[in-house]
Amino acid sequence: MIKPLLLPVDTYLVDSLPDVWFGVVMFALTMYIVLDGFDFGIGMLYATRDDDHDRETLLAAFGPIWDANEVWLIAFGTMLLAAFPDVYSRLLADNYLIALGFVLALLFRGVGPELREQREDESWQRACDWSFVGGSTLAPFLFGVLAGSWVFDVGAISLPAILTGVGLVAVSAVTGAAFVAAKTGPALAGEMRDLGILATVAYLAGVVVLLAVVIVTDAGGTAGTILSIPGVAIVGLSVVAGLGGIVLALRDSYRAWLVSALALPTLLSALVALLLYPAIYPATASGAELTVETAVVSPLALNLTTVLGFPVLVVVLWYFKFLYGVFSGPIEAEGYGA
C-alpha cells in the first residue's frame, strides 16, 4: 500500500498560511516595482542625454542586473497563479489589453539597446533609442494602470487608474535618478540629482491628487482604509521619504538618497496590500468578490507549493544578494570596475 503524502490534506500547515502567501505575493510585487522600477527610470532618463558617453554609462549601470530584476515579475505571476489562480485569471481577463500592451512595451524596451549596436546608421540608432525610451516609459505606466484598475475597482480608462500609472512612472524616474547618481561621477550625478528632485515633487503631488480623487469618489470603497491609521501612516512615511530624499540629494549624499528613493515604491506596494486585504479581488462583471480565504487553493495544493516553493525563494534571494554585492561599485561607460 502506498503511503500518503506526509503533508496535511485537509488543513494548512499553519492556519495563517493563506495570509502568509498573500504577503509573499505582495513581496514579489514589491521587489519587481522596486528593482525593475529603477531600470525603467534609467530608460526614461536616457532620453535626457545627448552625449554618447553618458548614454553608455546609463546602459552599463543596469546592464548586468536588468534581466535578473525581471525575474520578480515572473515570480509575482507564478506565485499568484499557484496560490490564488482565480485572481490571476480574472486579473488578466479583465485587463487583457493593458496586460498585452505592457508585454509589448517590455519587448520594445528590451530590443532597443540590442538592435542599436547592430548598425551604425544614425536614423536606425535614433529609432532604437526611441524604442528603449518609449518602452521604459510605457511599461510602468501600463503596469500602474493595471494595478489601479485592480485595487480601486475601476476601469482602465478612469482617473484613479491613470493617476496610478502616472505615479508609477514618476517614482520609477526617482529611483532611476538616485541609482545612477549613487554610482557615477559628480557631473552626471549632479544632473541626475536635479532630475530626480523634479520627479520626486511630481510623484508626491501625483499621490496627493490620486488620494484626493479616491477619497472623494470612494473608488472601490477604499476611502475608509486610506483614512485609517495604517493608511495615513504609509502616506505620511512616503512624504517623509520623498522630502528626506530631496534633502539628502541636495547634500550630495547619493547612497542615502538611493535608500530613501527605494522606500517610495516599497511604501506604495504596502499601500496596495493594505487596500486589497482581505478582499484580494473586487466584485466585477466577471465574478463575485474574492477574498484571501475564498480565492486560495486547497490545503494540500498550498502545502505542497509551500514546501517546494519556499526553498526556491530563499535561493533566489541569496542570488540577488550575491549579484548586487558583485555589482555594488561605481560605474563607468565601459562597465563596472573598468
Side-chain angles (χ1 to χ4, degrees):
M1 179 177 179
I2 298 175
K3 189 175 181 180
L5 291 172
L6 300 176
L7 290 171
V9 175
D10 299 322
T11 59
Y12 296 109
L13 290 171
V14 294
D15 292 341
S16 59
L17 195 58
D19 297 320
V20 171
W21 269 96
F22 174 78
V24 171
V25 169
M26 289 297 113
F27 172 74
L29 177 64
T30 303
M31 292 294 285
Y32 178 67
I33 292 176
V34 170
L35 296 182
D36 213 20
F38 68 70
D39 293 342
F40 291 136
I42 292 172
M44 296 178 223
L45 295 167
Y46 185 88
T48 67
R49 304 293 92 195
D50 295 325
D51 181 76
D52 283 342
H53 182 271
D54 286 352
R55 290 188 166 190
E56 292 296 330
T57 301
L58 261 61
L59 290 177
F62 73 130
I65 52 180
W66 176 4
D67 291 338
N69 290 339
E70 291 186 334
V71 165
W72 289 105
L73 176 62
I74 300 171
F76 167 66
T78 304
M79 292 174 179
L80 188 62
L81 175 63
F84 306 101
D86 289 344
V87 176
Y88 179 89
S89 62
R90 285 180 58 183
L91 183 62
L92 293 182
D94 290 348
N95 302 278
Y96 65 95
L97 287 178
I98 299 297
L100 178 61
F102 171 66
V103 172
L104 290 176
L106 289 180
L107 177 65
F108 279 104
R109 179 187 70 149
V111 301
E114 297 293 336
L115 294 180
R116 191 181 194 277
E117 305 299 326
Q118 305 304 315
R119 291 173 57 179
E120 296 297 328
D121 180 75
E122 185 177 344
S123 59
W124 170 265
Q125 293 186 339
R126 190 181 304 113
C128 292
D129 289 343
W130 278 112
S131 173
F132 177 53
V133 174
S136 298
T137 307
L138 196 58
F141 173 74
L142 292 176
F143 196 77
V145 169
L146 191 154
S149 174
W150 176 19
V151 173
F152 297 121
D153 189 16
V154 293
I157 306 177
S158 64
L159 198 53
I162 292 173
L163 287 172
T164 305
V166 172
L168 197 55
V169 169
V171 78
S172 296
V174 175
T175 55
F179 185 83
V180 175
K183 287 183 164 291
T184 57
L188 183 56
E191 295 184 38
M192 292 295 110
R193 175 196 60 205
D194 296 341
L195 293 170
I197 290 174
L198 287 175
T200 303
V201 173
Y203 173 68
L204 293 178
V207 168
V208 171
V209 174
L210 170 62
L211 294 181
V213 170
V214 171
I215 291 172
V216 169
T217 61
D218 194 19
T222 57
T225 307
I226 292 174
L227 294 173
S228 67
I229 293 177
V232 171
I234 291 173
V235 174
L237 287 173
S238 297
V239 174
V240 170
L243 296 180
I246 291 176
V247 172
L248 293 169
L250 291 174
R251 292 179 177 177
D252 295 342
S253 300
Y254 296 131
R255 286 195 174 267
W257 176 33
L258 176 58
V259 174
S260 177
L262 294 179
L264 293 175
T266 304
L267 290 165
L268 180 63
S269 295
L271 185 60
V272 168
L274 179 68
L275 294 177
L276 282 175
Y277 188 82
I280 194 171
Y281 202 87
T284 64
S286 61
E289 178 183 270
L290 294 174
T291 65
V292 171
E293 183 179 0
T294 59
V296 73
V297 293
S298 68
L300 178 58
L302 196 64
N303 292 341
L304 275 172
T305 304
T306 303
V307 172
L308 297 176
F310 274 23
V312 175
L313 180 61
V314 171
V315 172
V316 170
L317 289 172
W318 174 86
Y319 170 73
F320 269 79
K321 181 178 182 296
F322 171 77
L323 180 69
Y324 276 82
V326 170
F327 298 105
S328 61
I331 182 68
E332 300 291 343
E334 294 79 11
Y336 283 84

